[in-house]
Amino acid sequence: MESATGWSTDEFKRRGALVLEALGRFVEGSVRGEVPVVTLKPVQAFAESMDLEGLLEEGITTDEGFRAFLRAFLAGATRLHHPAYVAHQIALPHYASALADLISGILNNGMSVYEMGPTAGAIEVAVIDWMLDKVGWQPTGRNRARLPAAGSFPGGGVLTHGGSLANLTALLAARAALAPEAWQQGTSGDLVVLAPATAHYSMARAVATMGMGTDALVEVPSDELGRVLPDGLPATLASVGGEGKRVMALCANACATATGLYDPLQEVGAFCRDHGIWFHVDGAHGASALLHPEKKRRLAGVALADSLVWDAHKLLQTSALCAAVLFRDGRRLLGTFQQNAAYVLEGSREIGHDFIGHQFECTKSPLGLKLFLVLAMAGEEELGRNVGVLWERTRRIHDQIAARPGFQVLCPPESNILCFRYTGEDREQSRVRQELMGEGDFLLTQADMGGKRWLRMTIMNPRTDEDTIRRLLDRIEKVARDQAVTSG
Ligand SMILES: *Cc1c(COP(=O)(O)O)cnc(C)c1O
């Protein structure tokens, strides 16, 4: 049968089978670890190896041509299934999530108004409710038309295209709570946001985007590993108060991107509560520990937050993107995006739920379907178990590195993020990383902490074992020695 896209559904199924076959081979090859984890070539080289200009001109017209393109594309793709992938904080996605991406790719049901995709809309509500429940907040109850208990208000939240947008949304909600007139009149110059220096850069971007200027992001005292020192908060508050500033929000990390360390949420939360300050927890990476019966103790106090950001595409085995911004009091979300969008919002809608008033995006992918299918097909327990496995593995890798002469670790890990370095200057660490990346056998990141540069790994793959790490350390030693010879 012909379809509107010019492809028959038979053609779709046939080419779909080619894609699945190619992806199957890609994953199997990656898992065996016998191929480079990363292939770093200049843009031009990839344009040539994939023949982009030729394909744009001649088109991909045959199955053989499509297969050839897939081969060239996948040959240069970064392999998260590879045991030597210890770099960025992005999930090794469950197949259920990939299938959700495929379903969404065909349906293209947008998530701004209910009628664009009512089943996906109901799923987003269900996923938000599930997350609220994990935090210890009241679900919205919208899926069950359930009334909240007397005197209490249900939580709220929305899925966003990424934690960065979720952080911006949380700060907009905080501003709407303290200075609702700002939506129309602009942000007055007396608002500040308090955060540790280790806050994710999306905080600074959010503050700058809101027209406050990054000077309005005021650093709170932290220990030598960048964790908020609750005892230092009164002095910071007094100091900004003395300058006539009003605190719009205080942000804490759960956990910090660079170090993987958790701020003391209980103490910081209690301070915020006592002073009537909006408490924002950035749990983009580490909130998933809520699923582990033991590891969740690092998040004790998270329920004191007014807002929480939680990415599913980091540690809930969900493909990018799928992030959530959650609110203890769901009413907080209502004033966040006050705007005149009468063409989509007008009239009273009795059926369903429009997201447009609660989110920055207009068209939005049905992000909830991905997490929902992972939850339904892998199970919440399995996701929690995976967090535990990654945390424990990182702990063992820490011990392994700490025991090796010439290597230094920043601190014992509290999550699956670990910083370490090899003898030598900061410059050496970066050069070693570049060299490893160029060889393609290992992929690491780096971070600056305590005035030093560290090599940084995020263990996202349970197949990354101590043997992988031993080979990595051998390699680092050799690269560093060779560099010393050539530069010496
Ligand atoms: C990854 C991360 C973010 C950004 O999330 P994206 O989904 O990549 O936009 C924000 N905060 C923290 C703490 C993170 O680790």
Side-chain angles (χ1 to χ4, degrees):
M1 213 175 74
E2 286 305 314
S3 84
T5 58
W7 273 21
S8 67
T9 46
D10 281 345
E11 205 162 359
F12 167 61
K13 289 185 218 164
R14 202 179 65 241
R15 293 196 167 163
L18 294 186
V19 170
L20 292 187
E21 195 187 292
L23 287 176
R25 271 200 308 273
F26 176 81
V27 170
E28 285 158 15
S30 305
V31 166
R32 280 197 299 273
E34 289 157 4
V35 281
V37 57
V38 63
T39 310
L40 267 198
K41 287 194 254 181
V43 168
Q44 232 181 336
F46 280 126
E48 273 171 31
S49 67
M50 290 186 279
D51 187 24
L52 299 184
E53 273 181 32
L55 293 181
L56 282 176
E57 214 150 278
E58 314 277 325
I60 299 174
T61 52
T62 62
D63 285 0
E64 202 29 67
F66 187 40
R67 241 194 228 112
F69 166 74
L70 287 174
R71 257 198 309 274
F73 174 72
L74 293 174
T78 300
R79 295 171 181 266
L80 276 69
H81 300 77
H82 196 297
Y85 180 92
V86 288
H88 300 274
Q89 309 152 260
I90 186 157
L92 199 74
H94 195 281
Y95 292 121
S97 182
L99 292 177
D101 282 324
L102 177 63
I103 296 169
S104 297
I106 290 294
L107 301 184
N108 226 14
N109 279 188
M111 290 288 97
S112 54
V113 289
Y114 192 62
E115 76 256 19
M116 290 176 87
T119 45
I123 284 181
E124 172 155 344
V125 172
V127 162
I128 290 288
D129 276 354
W130 176 81
M131 289 176 130
L132 287 169
D133 183 57
K134 290 297 134 196
V135 179
W137 291 339
Q138 272 208 48
T140 66
R142 222 175 248 123
N143 267 352
R144 297 192 203 151
R146 195 175 50 190
L147 291 173
S152 69
F153 294 96
V158 69
L159 297 179
T160 68
H161 284 96
S164 303
L165 198 49
N167 274 330
L168 173 63
T169 306
L171 290 189
L172 283 169
R175 189 184 66 174
L178 185 66
E181 71 287 351
W183 185 264
Q184 198 180 356
Q185 297 166 11
T187 312
S188 58
D190 62 341
L191 299 183
V192 292
V193 171
L194 307 183
T198 46
H200 188 261
Y201 69 80
S202 57
M203 284 300 170
R205 286 194 177 178
V207 167
T209 302
M210 290 165 76
M212 298 164 70
T214 52
D215 285 351
L217 190 62
V218 176
E219 202 177 309
V220 299
S222 51
D223 67 13
E224 72 286 358
L225 293 169
R227 283 173 296 206
V228 174
L229 283 171
D231 289 348
L233 294 175
T236 307
L237 188 59
S239 148
V240 295
E243 291 168 24
K245 307 280 191 193
R246 291 185 291 160
V247 177
M248 196 176 97
L250 196 162
C251 307
N253 294 313
C255 50
T257 306
T259 58
L261 301 177
Y262 286 81
D263 283 327
L265 304 184
Q266 188 76 53
E267 287 92 333
V268 178
F271 176 83
C272 288
R273 189 192 49 207
D274 294 348
H275 293 86
I277 295 171
W278 181 289
F279 181 32
H280 174 62
V281 175
D282 185 355
H285 185 84
S288 295
L290 286 168
L291 300 189
H292 194 278
E294 232 177 88
K295 312 294 176 200
K296 72 174 181 193
R297 79 194 146 86
R298 298 269 180 216
L299 285 139
V302 69
L304 292 169
D306 292 281
S307 52
L308 168 71
V309 166
W310 182 356
D311 279 6
H313 61 264
K314 285 180 174 169
L315 281 154
L316 294 183
Q317 299 186 26
T318 302
S319 48
L321 287 167
C322 181
V325 54
L326 306 167
F327 298 89
R328 175 160 44 86
D329 180 344
R331 293 171 302 173
R332 296 303 203 174
L333 192 50
L334 301 180
T336 304
F337 298 103
Q338 287 173 8
Q339 59 191 325
N340 187 3
Y343 67 99
V344 275
L345 294 172
E346 83 192 359
S348 74
R349 287 174 179 278
E350 283 168 8
I351 298 178
H353 173 71
D354 294 338
F355 292 98
I356 192 163
H358 296 179
Q359 67 192 24
F360 193 87
E361 299 99 321
C362 176
T363 307
K364 184 178 85 176
S365 300
L367 307 170
L369 181 63
K370 305 198 275 187
L371 175 54
F372 175 80
L373 281 188
V374 175
L375 282 171
M377 295 172 97
E380 178 182 321
E381 237 171 74
E382 170 57 25
L383 291 179
R385 202 191 57 81
N386 187 54
V387 166
V389 166
L390 297 176
W391 265 221
E392 287 307 321
R393 182 68 48 83
T394 309
R395 180 74 202 204
R396 285 218 300 276
I397 291 171
H398 162 273
D399 296 348
Q400 183 184 1
I401 298 177
R404 181 128 166 183
F407 287 87
Q408 187 191 350
V409 283
L410 175 66
C411 60
E414 292 180 356
S415 61
N416 61 334
I417 296 174
L418 179 66
C419 293
F420 70 105
R421 49 188 276 136
Y422 186 61
T423 321
E425 308 286 313
D426 286 355
R427 225 160 19 116
E428 252 69 70
Q429 314 301 321
S430 300
R431 272 164 48 182
V432 163
R433 189 179 94 84
Q434 285 298 332
E435 181 73 22
L436 290 177
M437 219 163 21
E439 292 175 350
D441 290 339
F442 293 96
L443 189 56
L444 290 163
T445 55
Q446 64 183 38
D448 290 333
M449 191 69 217
K452 276 188 188 167
R453 172 144 309 158
W454 302 84
L455 295 169
R456 171 178 173 276
M457 51 171 105
T458 314
I459 307 297
M460 301 300 294
N461 186 345
R463 289 192 188 87
T464 302
D465 57 14
E466 279 135 308
D467 194 47
T468 316
I469 300 302
R470 187 184 46 71
R471 280 183 286 116
L472 166 66
L473 301 182
D474 289 350
R475 198 75 212 127
I476 291 176
E477 274 178 355
K478 170 134 181 24
V479 166
R481 258 201 319 270
D482 291 352
Q483 281 180 354
V485 169
T486 42
S487 62

